[in-house]
Amino acid sequence: MIDQSYKVFVVDDERIIREGIAKLIDWDQLGLEFTGCAPDGLSAYDQMSAIRPDIIITDIKMPRMDGLELIQQTMKLLPYAKFVVLSGHGEFEFASKAMQHGVKHYLLKPCDEVDITDVLQQVISELDEQRNRISFYQIMENQLAEALPKVKEQLLRDCLLNRTFFKHEMEHYKKILHIHDEKVRLILFQLEAAFEFVELYALKNISEELIQTRNIMLSTIVGDKFIILLEDMELQEIVKMTTKIKEEFESKYKIDLTLSISNPCTFEDIPKIYYDAQQYLKYRFYLGESSIITSEEVDLELSSTQTEMVNLNYHNIVMAIKIGNTEDLKDELAYFFDKLREFRCEINMAISYCIELITTIVRQTMPDKINENIPKIVPILEMKTLEEIHRYIFGVSHVITKENYEVYSQKNRMLVHSMVQHIQSNLGNEELSLQWLAKHYFYMNVDYLGKLFRKEMNEKFSQYVTRVRIEWAKELMTNFNNYKVYEIAEQTGFGRDSQYFSNLFKKYTGYTPVEYKTMIKHDTHY
């Protein structure tokens, strides 16, 4: 339905013709608007951009710019305008040239209002048809523009879920969506907290705003993940862009965002890189939430074959808890979890190691509290990252360690005091060692005794024994200057290896035994 009149402009170098056409035609009845006239082509062209007429009635032969040139120039400016050529007898050649430029209508001078009205009605019909066609195309374009995002999303979902396409189907989709046969990458976004779908769509909008539109080929939401397919580019550039998205989203919505970026592939290989990108996301268990994960951080082939190589034990952790040494506990747990990260075994296997560890730790609890601590094993199953499990296990074991220290501290001090007494009594015994004491006097685990001794004395057992023996040797040299070096070595438990004794003595005192005896003799040692 036409709801707008068409504008008409007349160009002729004869005033009588210009004015005659203007007055003869009932413009309102035809639904036309007469917008003016000009005496030559150049004057007319100067007014075209301002008036923008739909119908131009023009003479052929005119000064300054003839009708043919006016038609050529105006067609560039107003491609949808229609022309009616006025020609006299003998100007058929000019009229035919106008026809070559697409002009369909001409009037032979002289002409009356009937002739002009008839031609104008034909032109009006053409303009109506043209306007309706343009309107139809515009409606189709608008509908396509509205439907295209949904088509794009559905195509990507179908590709991700490995729907089978016939070759001609895929080629058709790629053509209408302007997808070329270049390499692509997939980006998966995972929100790391409870969220509303409005936040997922906000992430979609932020991503499409910050990444250049020409680089995003397709995007969609699948379940709780937002996915972008984009043209391949340098990984560093993608990481830079996605970091901006993370920062923008996390600052606005206070929800951590974990991303995985696939390796490049062809459009047909999308299901494979989708699977890989999903596997990458799992490794936030090791790398932590709010990470950007690529194949550089994750070796899927290595992680799938390394399970058999993991050989972790909890012995040192248990010892630290038993003797109440919180510093050792912290160090040993850090070592355990560092090793677990290094191995990158299958995630369920890693969780099973952690459950085994906390079960072992709970067993070190005082008997009256073990039932209270057993339920503390279960929460690990709900934890998403290794770092979260690490913090949790340290918290539980730290409490148990402090309780053990408070309960056993007096007993441990008495035990270490007894060890010191036995050391003093057996300094001259070359067999004196931690193993020897454990076997002959205390009947306890050697490692436990060693850690307990270091905890209470702030010094390793072997260092303590060596230091006390050297002090005794210094005392013997002071009181019995005539003793030979090998005699002092034997008496202080270093055996017959005088060279070994001499090396240790110099290490602890800065002097050889001979030098030390000489200084004492001359009263120069202090």
Side-chain angles (χ1 to χ4, degrees), residues 402-522:
K402 288 179 69 177
E403 289 173 349
N404 285 351
Y405 179 76
E406 290 168 3
V407 171
Y408 292 123
S409 57
Q410 184 61 33
K411 178 182 175 182
N412 290 343
R413 280 194 290 272
M414 292 175 63
L415 181 61
V416 171
H417 179 69
S418 178
M419 289 175 71
V420 169
Q421 289 181 321
H422 284 295
I423 290 169
Q424 295 292 346
S425 302
N426 291 279
L427 271 180
N429 184 352
E430 189 177 348
E431 292 185 12
L432 174 63
S433 66
L434 189 60
Q435 288 83 354
W436 186 80
L437 277 182
K439 180 179 178 180
H440 291 88
Y441 291 97
F442 295 100
Y443 312 104
M444 296 176 71
N445 180 278
V446 174
D447 289 340
Y448 176 74
L449 279 178
K451 288 182 178 292
L452 187 61
F453 187 91
R454 189 180 71 174
K455 167 71 175 172
E456 293 297 325
M457 300 296 290
N458 216 14
E459 188 175 19
K460 286 185 177 180
F461 179 89
S462 58
Q463 291 174 335
Y464 177 82
V465 171
T466 301
R467 182 173 59 78
V468 173
R469 278 173 167 169
I470 295 295
E471 292 300 322
W472 187 25
K474 287 165 65 177
E475 188 177 336
L476 288 175
M477 290 179 192
T478 302
N479 297 325
F480 303 98
N481 197 264
N482 59 326
Y483 277 12
K484 305 293 183 185
V485 172
Y486 74 86
E487 292 176 318
I488 294 173
E490 287 182 4
Q491 288 190 48
T492 54
F494 288 107
R496 295 179 175 275
D497 190 347
S498 58
Q499 185 60 50
Y500 172 67
F501 165 67
S502 296
N503 292 339
L504 277 177
F505 191 90
K506 184 171 183 178
K507 179 181 177 181
Y508 274 79
T509 65
Y511 306 98
T512 65
V514 174
E515 290 170 342
Y516 190 81
K517 288 177 68 177
T518 301
M519 284 192 296
I520 294 172
K521 187 176 181 180
H522 292 88

Side-chain angles (χ1 to χ4, degrees), residues 264-315:
C265 78
T266 63
F267 196 85
E268 286 68 25
D269 286 332
I270 288 174
K272 180 186 182 306
I273 61 170
Y274 177 53
Y275 174 80
D276 288 348
Q278 287 178 303
Q279 297 306 305
Y280 295 173
L281 275 183
K282 292 181 181 179
Y283 281 81
R284 67 190 188 282
F285 178 80
Y286 287 112
L287 301 171
E289 293 179 348
S290 195
S291 301
I292 297 178
I293 308 171
T294 71
S295 59
E296 292 182 359
E297 287 83 27
V298 178
D299 188 331
L300 296 179
E301 291 184 7
L302 181 62
S303 63
S304 66
T305 59
Q306 208 156 25
T307 302
E308 298 177 1
M309 298 170 59
V310 182
N311 184 20
L312 298 167
N313 67 72
Y314 320 114
H315 178 73

Side-chain angles (χ1 to χ4, degrees), residues 43 68 85 92 152 187 279 319 346 369 395 458 493 499:
S43 300
L68 291 178
V85 172
F92 180 75
K152 286 183 173 182
I187 305 176
Q279 297 306 305
M319 284 297 144
E346 199 275 326
K369 290 191 175 182
N458 216 14
Q499 185 60 50

Side-chain angles (χ1 to χ4, degrees), residues 122-300:
Q122 294 177 43
V123 174
I124 289 169
S125 296
E126 291 176 10
L127 285 170
D128 285 347
E129 184 181 348
Q130 178 177 278
R131 182 173 285 181
N132 287 332
R133 187 167 61 250
I134 292 171
S135 177
F136 174 76
Y137 286 150
Q138 187 62 54
I139 291 170
M140 290 299 100
E141 285 180 6
N142 292 341
Q143 290 179 347
L144 180 60
E146 186 179 335
L148 208 54
K150 296 185 178 76
V151 174
K152 286 183 173 182
E153 288 196 23
Q154 188 59 50
L155 174 62
L156 182 53
R157 276 196 291 269
D158 287 344
C159 290
L160 297 174
L161 300 175
N162 208 10
R163 180 202 152 189
T164 303
F165 288 93
F166 291 109
K167 185 175 180 180
H168 70 273
E169 281 186 296
M170 181 57 73
E171 291 304 320
H172 175 68
Y173 276 121
K174 289 166 72 173
K175 183 177 179 180
I176 65 172
L177 298 177
H178 306 292
I179 296 170
H180 307 293
D181 290 326
E182 63 240 351
K183 294 282 187 177
V184 296
R185 285 186 190 259
L186 207 65
I187 305 176
L188 262 64
F189 295 80
Q190 173 78 57
L191 278 67
E192 297 295 359
F195 63 90
E196 302 291 335
F197 272 98
V198 66
E199 291 160 338
L200 202 56
Y201 280 102
L203 170 61
K204 183 176 187 293
N205 292 333
I206 290 171
S207 302
E208 292 173 352
E209 180 181 331
L210 292 179
I211 298 180
Q212 293 182 12
T213 308
R214 65 176 182 84
N215 292 326
I216 296 181
M217 299 173 70
L218 302 170
S219 65
T220 190
I221 293 171
V222 176
D224 61 349
K225 295 179 181 65
F226 171 55
I227 302 163
I228 287 177
L229 185 75
L230 74 166
E231 297 174 6
D232 183 30
M233 60 183 76
E234 289 296 326
L235 183 59
Q236 187 176 0
E237 188 179 349
I238 299 177
V239 170
K240 186 178 178 181
M241 288 192 302
T242 50
T243 299
K244 287 182 182 177
I245 294 171
K246 264 176 55 63
E247 291 171 352
E248 180 77 11
F249 180 81
E250 290 174 352
S251 67
K252 285 185 177 179
Y253 295 95
K254 312 304 178 189
I255 298 176
D256 285 340
L257 202 58
T258 302
L259 288 76
S260 66
I261 303 172
S262 78
N263 284 329
C265 78
T266 63
F267 196 85
E268 286 68 25
D269 286 332
I270 288 174
K272 180 186 182 306
I273 61 170
Y274 177 53
Y275 174 80
D276 288 348
Q278 287 178 303
Q279 297 306 305
Y280 295 173
L281 275 183
K282 292 181 181 179
Y283 281 81
R284 67 190 188 282
F285 178 80
Y286 287 112
L287 301 171
E289 293 179 348
S290 195
S291 301
I292 297 178
I293 308 171
T294 71
S295 59
E296 292 182 359
E297 287 83 27
V298 178
D299 188 331
L300 296 179

Side-chain angles (χ1 to χ4, degrees), residues 74-97:
T74 305
M75 279 183 168
K76 297 175 185 175
L77 181 65
L78 305 172
Y80 296 111
K82 299 294 182 182
F83 293 88
V84 177
V85 172
L86 290 168
S87 64
H89 289 287
E91 295 178 355
F92 180 75
E93 181 183 347
F94 294 102
S96 64
K97 287 184 178 179

